[in-house]
Amino acid sequence: YIFSSRLKNYDHTWMDTLCLSGSTAWGRFRVPKNNGSKKSSPIKTTPITIVKRTNLDIWKNIVSAPENNFEDLSNNAKKVFDFISSKGASFFEEIISGSKCLKAETEIALAELVAKGLITSDSYTGLRALLVRSKYKTQRGQRRKRISFNMEGAGRWSLIKKSEEQEEESKNLSEEMRALARIFLNRYGVVFRKLLERESFSPPWRDLVRALRLLELRGEVRGGRFVEGVTGEQFALPEAVASLRDMRRKKTTGRLVSLSASDPLNLMGIITPGKKISSHYKNRVLYRDGVPAAYKEGEQIRLLSEFDNSEEWSIKQTLIKRNFSPKLKPYLGKGAA
């Protein structure tokens, strides 16, 4: 939903190409410490992070896996994990043969390991295959549907972090803080404490602000007051400051922008007044000239201003409209129109 909203004519195969080329990686890099239940959260609701391969060590070093990740695995997941640990990156058929699990059991085990933040695959197809698996189970009297995303096309499955790496502490935390600060600055342009509340990878502000102050001293970023109504220190890229000045001079056009609430640009209740909208992928927010105009939370649609009947209909249609590749319609399921 995020990429299709941000990129014109987005094609889902772009993500596969980026992953297969080695420039991008995906995985769950932060697992809640209280995730100690035997039953893993559904893969459908597992928060997945997509990162540049060059920044992969940063994410792996900042967040370590919970100690109970291995103890809470099911028997099949342990078999699959042990096989990948000993043999290294392996294809799906190799994992089935080596772990002595059935095909369906292996799929469930891989989903569990992904949810636990332990493994990833060469291609993004691997994640899609896990997401659609339950939708296409063969039912009595029905023929199994053919899908484009299958485990055989996922490439190799490998550990996100080797066990010996989990025991090593970061050698240069300050350098990683500066790298993380640059990532947040490139994402938002302006960074301050309240803005990073929704960033699951954000370290304590006291650690990050030291890195930001150092970048300011080096002349890489600017400190000041860039966003009104926000207390505390703020830091911005020089080009972001210039962009903010240009935006202030521009005339409003009434342009509507609809986004998934899981998009980082869902800043309702953070830099704008009003209610915060939970960052669930099915929720939606609508901006008009950068100002929140409406939002959808669950099945409920709320307009934040009064509109005439014709404009209200247009607002609601723009809010719920989602653009994506037609090939993803079976994968996304109902309500994807």
Side-chain angles (χ1 to χ4, degrees):
Y1 295 135
I2 295 177
F3 293 131
S4 59
S5 298
R6 295 289 195 92
L7 302 173
K8 187 176 182 180
N9 300 322
Y10 172 72
D11 189 323
H12 70 279
T13 59
W14 296 352
M15 181 59 66
D16 297 316
T17 301
L18 287 172
C19 290
L20 287 171
S21 69
S23 63
T24 301
W26 66 266
R28 186 176 192 181
F29 297 101
R30 164 164 284 182
V31 183
K33 291 183 178 181
N34 61 354
N35 189 21
S37 60
K38 187 82 172 179
K39 185 178 180 181
S40 299
S41 59
I43 188 71
K44 181 179 176 182
T45 58
T46 297
I48 297 296
T49 304
I50 301 169
V51 301
K52 281 186 175 181
R53 182 75 60 175
T54 52
N55 294 330
L56 188 56
D57 287 340
I58 296 174
W59 302 112
K60 292 196 297 185
N61 290 334
I62 287 176
V63 182
S64 59
E67 295 178 358
N68 61 9
N69 250 22
F70 305 99
E71 297 176 1
D72 296 332
L73 294 177
S74 66
N75 289 331
N76 288 333
K78 287 179 181 178
K79 291 178 184 178
V80 171
F81 181 81
D82 290 341
F83 176 79
I84 298 176
S85 297
S86 61
K87 299 298 182 181
S90 305
F91 292 101
F92 183 60
E93 296 293 345
E94 294 175 330
I95 297 173
I96 294 175
S97 176
S99 65
K100 308 301 182 184
C101 295
L102 299 175
K103 181 176 181 179
E105 292 174 338
T106 305
E107 289 186 19
I108 295 172
L110 289 172
E112 183 179 343
L113 293 172
V114 169
K116 288 287 189 178
L118 296 174
I119 64 171
T120 183
S121 70
D122 290 340
S123 171
Y124 203 70
T125 297
L127 180 60
R128 293 197 190 99
L130 292 176
L131 287 168
V132 300
R133 183 187 61 81
S134 60
K135 292 183 182 180
Y136 298 94
K137 290 180 179 178
T138 303
Q139 298 179 4
R140 186 176 300 176
Q142 293 183 358
R143 186 178 180 182
R144 184 182 178 94
K145 297 180 181 178
R146 185 174 181 178
I147 56 177
S148 301
F149 314 115
N150 53 62
M151 302 300 292
E152 290 77 5
R156 300 174 303 169
W157 293 87
S158 57
L159 301 184
I160 287 181
K161 219 173 185 184
K162 296 180 181 178
S163 56
E164 60 268 20
E165 288 177 337
Q166 292 175 346
E167 298 174 359
E168 294 181 358
E169 294 184 357
S170 172
K171 295 180 180 179
N172 194 344
L173 184 59
S174 60
E175 182 60 35
E176 290 175 356
M177 284 297 109
R178 289 195 291 274
L180 193 57
R182 292 188 183 98
I183 290 172
F184 289 142
L185 284 164
N186 287 329
R187 177 175 299 175
Y188 294 107
V190 181
V191 169
F192 46 88
R193 184 172 188 171
K194 191 176 181 182
L195 182 66
L196 300 181
E197 288 179 355
R198 283 188 168 174
E199 288 288 346
S200 59
F201 282 98
S202 180
W205 177 250
R206 63 179 179 274
D207 296 332
L208 191 62
V209 75
R210 286 198 290 267
L212 288 165
R213 289 169 183 165
L214 180 58
L215 292 177
E216 182 184 7
L217 290 173
R218 290 179 174 181
E220 295 183 38
V221 303
R222 294 178 57 180
R225 292 289 183 269
F226 309 105
V227 180
E228 295 180 358
V230 176
T231 58
E233 295 178 81
Q234 299 180 30
F235 301 88
L237 293 173
E239 55 267 33
V241 177
S243 179
L244 287 172
R245 289 172 178 166
D246 290 340
M247 290 296 296
R248 183 178 296 180
R249 289 191 289 265
K250 283 185 178 180
K251 295 182 179 180
T252 58
T253 61
R255 183 187 177 191
L256 297 172
V257 177
S258 177
L259 298 170
S260 166
S262 60
D263 193 297
L265 282 180
N266 171 20
L267 300 176
M268 290 184 61
I270 297 178
I271 64 172
T272 61
K275 177 184 177 181
K276 288 184 181 180
I277 307 302
S278 59
S279 54
H280 190 276
Y281 74 98
K282 287 187 177 181
N283 293 340
R284 308 282 300 172
V285 294
L286 182 70
Y287 293 96
R288 181 165 63 177
D289 292 323
V291 178
Y295 67 86
K296 175 182 177 292
E297 192 168 28
E299 299 300 322
Q300 192 174 40
I301 293 178
R302 289 286 182 88
L303 302 180
L304 301 178
S305 302
E306 291 187 3
F307 305 96
D308 57 44
N309 291 336
S310 60
E311 191 176 17
E312 181 177 326
W313 183 88
S314 176
I315 289 286
K316 289 181 178 179
Q317 291 300 307
T318 305
L319 173 65
I320 63 177
K321 184 179 180 181
R322 294 176 289 187
N323 299 315
F324 52 84
S325 170
K327 294 180 181 179
L328 287 178
K329 190 168 184 178
Y331 159 66
L332 296 174
K334 295 180 180 180

